[in-house]
Amino acid sequence: MALESAGGSIIAMLAELMVEPVGRQFRYMFCFNNFAQEFKEQKENLVSAKERLQDDVEAAERNAEKTYKDVKKWLEDANNQIEGAKPLENEIGKNGKCFTWCPNCMRQFKLSKALAKKSETFRKILENSTKFKIVAQKAPPQPIEFLTSKEFTPSESSKEALEQIMKALKDDTVNMIGLYGMGGVGKTTLVKEVGRRAKESQLFPDVLMATVSQNPNFIGIQDRMADSLHLKFEKTSKEGRASELWQRLQGKKMLIILDDVWKHIDLEEIGIPFGDDHRGCKILLTTRVQGICFSMECQQKVLLRVLPEDEASDLFRINAGLRDGDSTLNTVAREVARECQGLPIALVTVGRALRGKSRVQWEVASKQLKESHFVRMEQIDEQNNAYTCLKLSYDYLKYEETKSCFVLCCLFPEDYDIPIEDLTRYAVGYGLHQDAEPIEDARKRVSVAIENLKDCCMLLGTETEEHVRMHDLVRDFAIQIASSEEYGFIVKAGIGLEKWPMRNKSFEGCTTISLMGNKLAELPEGLVCPQLKVLLLELEDGMNVPERFFEGMKEIEVLSLEGGRLSLQSLELSTKLQSLVLIRCGCKDLIWLRKLQRLKILGLMSCLSIEELPDEIGELKELRLLDVTGCQRLRRIPVNLIGRLKKLEELLIGQYSFQGWDVVGCDSTGGMNANLTELNSLSQLAVLSLRIPKVERIPRDFVFPVSLRKYDITLGNALGYEYYSSTSTRFYWAGTSLNAKTFEQLFLHKLESVVVRDCGDVFTLFPARLRQGLKNLKEVFIDNCESLEEVFELGEADEGSSKEKELPLLSPLTKLRLLVLPELKCIWKGPTRHVSLQSLNFLELGYLDKLAFIFTPSLAQSLPQLQTLNITACGELKHIIREEDGEREIIPESPCFPQLKNIFIQRCGKLEYVFPVSMSPCLQAFRTWNRCRFIMLTI
């Protein structure tokens, strides 16, 4: 039987051999060990590639990036093949090492063939891995409104409403939910919390939110949703955009939050799918009017009630700063809180207004609240107490200029991000500026007023420090105050007007009119406004302002006009103008500006009709600010126009405007153009923004005025670079040569930010002789400078005065980014004992082919604020901290980075370790890898 079995195996083997080429037959029979070795090597290569790619994927996911589907598929296939090969590995161990004519012969032949086939499979999969240069893409950023909110304070009412809404979101029979309640009760805060939880629990892949307001702007709502969806509209009409949005949303599982709905809205007109045919798309709306929930056919209607007395009292006490044991004010505090009627916005604003006040002031406030007869708003009678409370907060504002700033904020449209710079320019003309004080002082006072208003919740912060917002209830209240006889405001901003809205109205007592945010297509021929001081308009593009429109406005001091066309001759009688701001306006007859001798602020922003500034502007002896940002066709500024503006404090030209600076003696435009030396005639110049396209435009031995406090100077090509910010002190140098002497004479000691791009002839950016000019440096960004070898040349420690030696170099530096510098050998050259990186919190290094180390041991001692360390593709990097200081100085203790939260290191093949063992006590959460190729850690 054994012989028959052996014979059968041999016959089967011979049969299989007949279908294989002779050479391959021989290898299968006699080269088993070779096949086994190749199998092992190919498997190890695939395992290594899989682990590296998996590391990349995990790092990308920690960095909130979305892994590509083909990368996930490759990892799955590779893992399946590796796992599926385990039986073959077991067979290798069992197989005999020699070849004999026995039953093992056939098994060895088949195993060799199987190993060869599997090795080929491994090789093909491994080849496919080389195409994955990038494994993930940045995931769409989480909308700011759905980030964890400190504003959400759970109460019994909000908890109950939240539970009802979340239950309805999970109910397949409900696709429209209405949350209603009085203004200021916290509806917006609650639905933001709903959106956050819906995303966090993955109940909906996408959550969109848009504010509707009293006068819905459907185009704006469509834009907001498209931004969240990363959708670029191809059509411009509202109907076309609605169709594109509908197609994008149709069939998707999505939550859409429509906040502050005042009347029935046609969702189809916006492009939002709804109804039984689109149950995956759920809509949550908020409104002050319960009837809206019925008209919008909400299947679930949820009431957000005001706070019960005990919860209201707790919220009030927190904002009033009352301690639990503060019995002297407990009684009156309960009375005041009771008068706020459980309305969160009133509790917060009144509480903060009375924080730190005396008992007498508390008692007076309580009496005012009880006896107030403050006029009710027409729309919502039940809000009387809320407005009474806001009135009390307003009355408790300490300074008149804070009150004035508050009412100026209501001039902007509802739900508007109010630019603080615009407020400043209006305030200067409105009278919040003393003739002798610099504009910067007025800007600071406006900022202080804004902080005071934010502190008492009468203004809200935004995502940027340059803007503020007004809660719509607070804005309604502010308009009510501003419309009183005391102020005389008329505010109809952002309500979609096309015609002048007040034809039969008397303007005898009117001081301020705001019609910004509209698209007026007609204006009255003339208005009699004998007391009008401020006029803010937005017109349809191409609409002409009537020549006699301003004749009855002889007291006007502030005029802001966006869009339309204007002849400056029509302003010849408005001689009290102090602030004139024209935006995207077709301007002509600019020579008539000479009539406006009291003008302090002149803004001609994005006025594409302006090709030349008239020489007559030089006659404006009181001018403090000149802004021609975005005037892309401006080619000529007459010589000595700028030099004659002796009181000029701020000159803003920007990169998308005038660039035709002449060197003294040149005549390149058919008439002498302005030259940079005129700036030195302006002894009060403090803020400057301009672009110099070529080094040759800089006069010999020119130095920027030492009086500059803020500046944004661009040298060379800087396409795509953002406009000037009033908080910037920045030098941008791109794509042009600049020798050391020229750079030195341009260098400014107040420099805070330096951006250098595409400069090929720079070897040392900051030479030693300029090191004392770095004492205010906060940010450095260097990109694609192919010759740069050193960033900071530090020089000897004993250079400079004794006072200078007391201040460690680079102490203010907070951010350093160095990218694509193939010749960079060291960041800091020279002794580093007198350098301190005590403020550095962000360091990014990428594509530095010759950098061997980052910090010396002494520098590593001065990094208490470092939070983020990103290193990419530094092929020669061996150590983050060099082992030897090189300065013959003993370092007394190990480096310690107490604030380090993020480390991202990839493609650094020669890096021996991340941190030395001596640092382990300071980095409990970190481990050390030898020969690491990729690390991403987040603490």
Side-chain angles (χ1 to χ4, degrees):
M1 293 293 294
L3 183 61
E4 290 177 3
S5 176
S9 297
I10 293 171
I11 291 170
M13 179 181 72
L14 291 173
E16 189 162 345
L17 284 171
M18 293 176 65
V19 301
E20 296 284 348
V22 176
R24 193 179 300 165
Q25 296 171 14
F26 180 83
R27 292 197 302 274
Y28 288 159
M29 293 175 62
F30 299 103
C31 300
F32 169 80
N33 289 340
N34 291 342
F35 287 114
Q37 181 63 29
E38 183 184 8
F39 168 86
K40 181 180 179 181
E41 291 176 354
Q42 291 290 355
K43 182 200 169 190
E44 289 176 350
N45 290 340
L46 184 59
V47 169
S48 297
K50 172 182 166 288
E51 290 176 349
R52 286 196 301 271
L53 196 61
Q54 186 65 48
D55 286 345
D56 289 355
V57 168
E58 291 174 0
E61 289 175 350
R62 293 190 192 102
N63 202 31
E65 296 180 359
K66 185 178 181 181
T67 307
Y68 292 119
K69 290 183 179 179
D70 56 349
V71 175
K72 290 182 178 180
K73 177 74 166 53
W74 186 94
L75 286 171
E76 183 180 343
D77 292 343
N79 189 65
N80 290 339
Q81 291 296 335
I82 292 169
E83 290 297 317
K86 287 183 178 179
L88 284 176
E89 290 179 287
N90 295 335
E91 285 296 311
I92 292 173
K94 296 176 184 178
N95 197 69
K97 301 295 183 185
C98 61
F99 181 85
T100 58
W101 292 103
C102 63
N104 279 349
C105 298
M106 185 60 186
R107 187 175 70 186
Q108 182 167 288
F109 174 85
K110 286 188 173 181
L111 184 55
S112 294
K113 185 176 180 181
L115 291 172
K117 185 177 180 180
K118 183 62 73 172
S119 297
E120 180 65 13
T121 301
F122 286 164
R123 187 187 62 79
K124 289 181 177 178
I125 294 176
L126 189 62
E127 285 180 353
N128 288 336
S129 71
T130 59
K131 68 182 182 181
F132 301 125
K133 303 297 183 185
I134 301 174
V135 301
Q137 64 179 349
K138 281 285 186 184
Q142 187 177 5
I144 190 71
E145 58 260 32
F146 301 130
L147 299 179
T148 302
S149 174
K150 296 179 181 178
E151 297 175 359
F152 181 68
T153 305
S155 64
E156 289 302 318
S157 177
S158 63
K159 286 179 184 177
E160 181 182 346
L162 182 62
E163 289 174 2
Q164 291 182 57
I165 294 172
M166 297 304 294
K167 182 179 179 181
L169 291 179
K170 298 174 184 177
D171 188 343
D172 291 336
T173 65
V174 175
N175 55 31
M176 185 83 73
I177 306 163
L179 175 66
Y180 66 96
M182 62 186 300
V185 79
K187 299 185 296 296
T188 301
T189 302
L190 179 60
V191 294
K192 286 181 180 180
E193 179 68 12
V194 169
R196 187 187 70 79
R197 295 193 182 192
K199 283 189 70 73
E200 190 174 73
S201 63
Q202 298 183 339
L203 190 58
F204 294 91
D206 292 296
V207 179
L208 307 182
M209 183 169 178
T211 302
V212 179
S213 302
Q214 288 175 277
N215 298 280
N217 179 355
F218 285 2
I219 293 291
I221 296 172
Q222 291 171 336
D223 284 339
R224 182 70 183 271
M225 292 186 172
D227 285 344
S228 299
L229 293 167
H230 301 278
L231 170 66
K232 300 294 184 184
F233 287 119
E234 295 182 1
K235 299 178 181 177
T236 57
S237 69
K238 181 178 66 177
E239 294 76 12
R241 291 152 60 99
S243 176
E244 291 181 53
L245 187 59
W246 182 286
Q247 291 175 10
R248 179 65 177 271
L249 296 176
Q250 194 173 25
K252 299 291 192 302
K253 186 175 183 181
M254 186 171 296
L255 174 61
I256 298 176
I257 300 174
L258 300 175
D259 190 34
D260 198 21
V261 179
W262 286 74
K263 58 186 177 184
H264 179 88
I265 55 175
D266 186 344
L267 298 177
E268 188 172 353
E269 191 174 351
I270 299 174
I272 299 175
F274 64 99
D276 293 340
D277 296 333
H278 306 281
R279 289 200 173 274
C281 185
K282 297 208 175 191
I283 298 166
L284 170 61
L285 61 87
T286 75
T287 179
R288 298 185 186 185
V289 185
Q290 185 180 5
I292 296 297
C293 297
F294 289 95
S295 70
M296 295 297 293
E297 299 182 4
C298 297
Q299 293 102 333
Q300 181 71 49
K301 305 169 188 67
V302 180
L303 169 65
L304 183 58
R305 299 187 306 273
V306 296
L307 300 180
E309 186 170 339
D310 56 343
E311 291 183 353
S313 179
D314 290 341
L315 180 60
F316 178 77
R317 289 170 59 82
I318 289 170
N319 285 277
L322 296 181
R323 301 184 300 275
D324 289 340
D326 193 353
S327 58
T328 59
L329 291 177
N330 278 341
T331 302
V332 67
R334 280 195 298 271
E335 293 175 358
V336 174
R338 193 176 297 117
E339 292 301 322
C340 293
Q341 297 293 300
L343 193 63
I345 191 171
L347 291 161
V348 171
T349 53
V350 174
R352 294 190 181 183
L354 291 173
R355 182 189 287 260
K357 298 298 189 294
S358 68
R359 181 179 178 83
V360 173
Q361 289 174 300
W362 276 80
E363 291 173 346
V364 170
S366 178
K367 185 177 181 182
Q368 285 179 328
L369 286 171
K370 291 176 181 177
E371 299 177 355
S372 175
H373 300 290
F374 183 69
V375 64
R376 297 181 177 214
M377 293 293 289
E378 292 180 2
Q379 306 96 319
I380 310 166
D381 289 343
E382 68 267 24
Q383 286 186 333
N384 181 46
N385 284 316
Y387 283 91
T388 303
C389 295
L390 289 170
K391 176 65 163 61
L392 177 65
S393 296
Y394 173 79
D395 288 341
Y396 267 95
L397 293 175
K398 190 173 182 180
Y399 303 107
E400 284 300 320
E401 61 187 34
T402 305
K403 292 182 177 181
S404 296
C405 187
F406 175 70
V407 295
L408 283 177
C409 287
C410 79
L411 299 176
F412 297 85
E414 190 176 71
D415 299 312
Y416 195 81
D417 283 349
I418 302 170
I420 296 176
E421 183 62 25
D422 287 4
L423 270 179
T424 299
R425 296 184 184 187
Y426 300 158
V428 168
Y430 190 68
L432 300 182
H433 174 263
Q434 306 299 322
D435 285 342
E437 73 172 352
I439 286 180
E440 179 62 17
D441 287 356
R443 185 178 287 113
K444 288 178 180 177
R445 289 197 282 108
V446 168
S447 296
V448 169
I450 286 172
E451 289 304 314
N452 290 336
L453 292 167
K454 287 167 68 175
D455 188 57
C456 62
C457 290
M458 300 185 81
L459 284 181
L460 305 174
T462 66
E463 297 176 31
T464 68
E465 295 182 357
E466 286 81 23
H467 299 81
V468 290
R469 296 190 82 180
M470 239 181 182
H471 186 283
D472 51 3
L473 176 67
V474 177
R475 180 176 179 270
D476 290 344
F477 164 76
I479 291 175
Q480 195 76 5
I481 290 288
S483 302
S484 66
E485 189 174 323
E486 177 186 359
Y487 284 100
F489 281 30
I490 296 176
V491 180
K492 296 185 180 295
I495 59 176
L497 293 176
E498 296 181 359
K499 298 181 179 180
W500 186 262
M502 304 159 286
R503 293 189 177 277
N504 299 319
K505 181 177 178 62
S506 170
F507 296 94
E508 288 294 325
C510 181
T511 65
T512 301
I513 296 175
S514 174
L515 296 174
M516 67 166 59
N518 297 296
K519 291 288 184 180
L520 296 177
E522 63 176 56
L523 292 173
E525 185 63 29
L527 293 174
V528 179
C529 305
Q531 298 184 47
L532 189 68
K533 290 188 174 183
V534 179
L535 177 61
L536 313 178
L537 293 175
E538 184 172 345
L539 307 180
E540 184 71 37
D541 291 340
M543 187 261 171
N544 290 306
V545 178
E547 293 182 3
R548 300 182 56 194
F549 180 70
F550 298 102
E551 283 186 2
M553 307 179 190
K554 295 183 174 60
E555 299 295 316
I556 190 169
E557 296 180 358
V558 178
L559 172 62
S560 175
L561 174 61
E562 183 169 357
R565 295 177 180 175
L566 175 70
S567 168
L568 273 298
Q569 185 176 1
S570 62
L571 292 172
E572 63 175 324
L573 300 179
S574 304
T575 56
K576 293 187 178 181
L577 263 177
Q578 297 191 50
S579 181
L580 175 61
V581 178
L582 305 179
I583 306 168
R584 295 187 302 101
C585 180
C587 306
K588 63 179 182 178
D589 302 324
L590 293 180
I591 59 172
W592 290 91
L593 284 169
R594 69 175 184 267
K595 294 285 188 178
L596 310 179
Q597 287 296 309
R598 296 184 61 182
L599 208 60
K600 295 179 181 177
I601 292 177
L602 175 59
L604 305 170
M605 289 91 79
S606 300
C607 295
L608 300 184
S609 64
I610 299 178
E611 299 180 1
E612 176 179 349
L613 292 185
D615 190 63
E616 285 77 6
I617 288 181
E619 300 175 15
L620 302 177
K621 304 304 181 184
E622 297 297 320
L623 197 65
R624 313 294 178 86
L625 186 153
L626 176 60
D627 187 348
V628 291
T629 302
C631 293
Q632 298 182 22
R633 297 175 183 170
L634 180 58
R635 296 291 180 266
R636 185 165 184 266
I637 299 178
V639 66
N640 204 32
L641 184 157
I642 295 174
R644 285 184 287 155
L645 300 174
K646 300 301 183 181
K647 291 188 177 181
L648 197 67
E649 300 169 21
E650 303 187 9
L651 175 61
L652 309 178
I653 297 178
Q655 63 161 327
Y656 294 113
S657 188
F658 177 75
Q659 303 170 26
W661 301 100
D662 272 343
V663 179
V664 177
C666 291
D667 187 6
S668 60
T669 59
M672 290 292 289
N673 226 340
N675 60 76
L676 293 172
T677 56
E678 295 180 39
L679 301 178
N680 291 314
S681 301
L682 308 178
S683 61
Q684 300 183 43
L685 189 66
V687 178
L688 177 66
S689 169
L690 56 82
R691 175 184 170 194
I692 308 167
K694 296 181 180 179
V695 177
E696 292 75 17
R697 303 287 179 90
I698 303 173
R700 185 182 299 274
D701 299 326
F702 170 76
V703 179
F704 282 105
V706 295
S707 60
L708 287 181
R709 182 187 66 257
K710 300 287 182 183
Y711 52 84
D712 191 344
I713 297 170
T714 300
L715 179 60
N717 181 21
L719 294 178
Y721 187 49
E722 66 270 19
Y723 282 134
Y724 167 79
S725 167
S726 62
T727 60
S728 300
T729 306
R730 182 167 45 196
F731 183 84
Y732 191 110
W733 171 16
T736 186
S737 60
L738 187 67
N739 60 48
K741 182 179 179 181
T742 305
F743 182 75
E744 182 176 354
Q745 72 186 32
L746 290 176
F747 200 85
L748 303 159
H749 289 280
K750 296 183 179 68
L751 191 65
E752 295 178 357
S753 178
V754 173
V755 180
V756 180
R757 281 180 170 162
D758 306 319
C759 295
D761 59 350
V762 180
F763 300 96
T764 302
L765 184 61
F766 299 106
R769 62 182 175 273
L770 299 180
R771 67 192 186 105
Q772 289 304 324
L774 309 181
K775 60 185 179 181
N776 294 305
L777 195 62
K778 294 179 180 178
E779 296 182 355
V780 175
F781 177 25
I782 309 173
D783 180 22
N784 196 31
C785 295
E786 59 186 22
S787 302
L788 191 70
E789 297 179 0
E790 305 147 3
V791 180
F792 302 101
E793 185 183 44
L794 302 172
E796 294 300 324
D798 57 354
E799 292 181 3
S801 67
S802 58
K803 182 178 180 181
E804 289 172 338
K805 286 189 290 186
E806 294 174 3
L807 301 173
L809 287 179
L810 302 179
S811 297
L813 187 67
T814 60
K815 183 180 292 187
L816 179 61
R817 299 179 65 204
L818 307 176
L819 303 177
V820 195
L821 308 174
E823 296 298 321
L824 188 73
K825 297 173 183 176
C826 64
I827 301 173
W828 356 80
K829 181 182 180 181
T832 58
R833 294 185 303 274
H834 57 294
V835 177
S836 171
L837 302 178
Q838 63 191 31
S839 302
L840 188 69
N841 61 52
F842 181 91
L843 176 62
E844 181 180 6
L845 308 174
Y847 303 92
L848 312 179
D849 299 338
K850 295 186 177 181
L851 189 70
F853 73 95
I854 300 174
F855 303 113
T856 64
S858 60
L859 276 180
Q861 295 290 326
S862 65
L863 291 163
Q865 300 299 325
L866 186 64
Q867 296 182 17
T868 300
L869 177 63
N870 290 349
I871 309 173
T872 302
C874 295
E876 293 297 316
L877 187 68
K878 294 182 178 179
H879 302 115
I880 291 177
I881 302 173
R882 190 168 65 182
E883 293 180 334
E884 297 180 1
D885 193 84
E887 300 183 28
R888 298 180 180 180
E889 181 175 318
I890 299 174
I891 305 300
E893 55 188 50
S894 298
C896 188
F897 305 154
Q899 299 297 322
L900 192 59
K901 297 179 180 178
N902 303 292
I903 300 178
F904 184 96
I905 304 176
Q906 66 173 345
R907 298 169 61 186
C908 298
K910 292 188 178 180
L911 186 64
E912 296 180 3
Y913 50 79
V914 182
F915 297 117
V917 176
S918 60
M919 287 184 61
S920 57
C922 299
L923 299 166
Q924 296 293 335
F926 287 89
R927 295 173 55 193
T928 301
W929 287 262
N930 289 326
R931 305 291 298 173
C932 65
R933 291 171 181 249
F934 177 89
I935 303 171
M936 181 179 176
L937 299 174
T938 302
I939 300 177

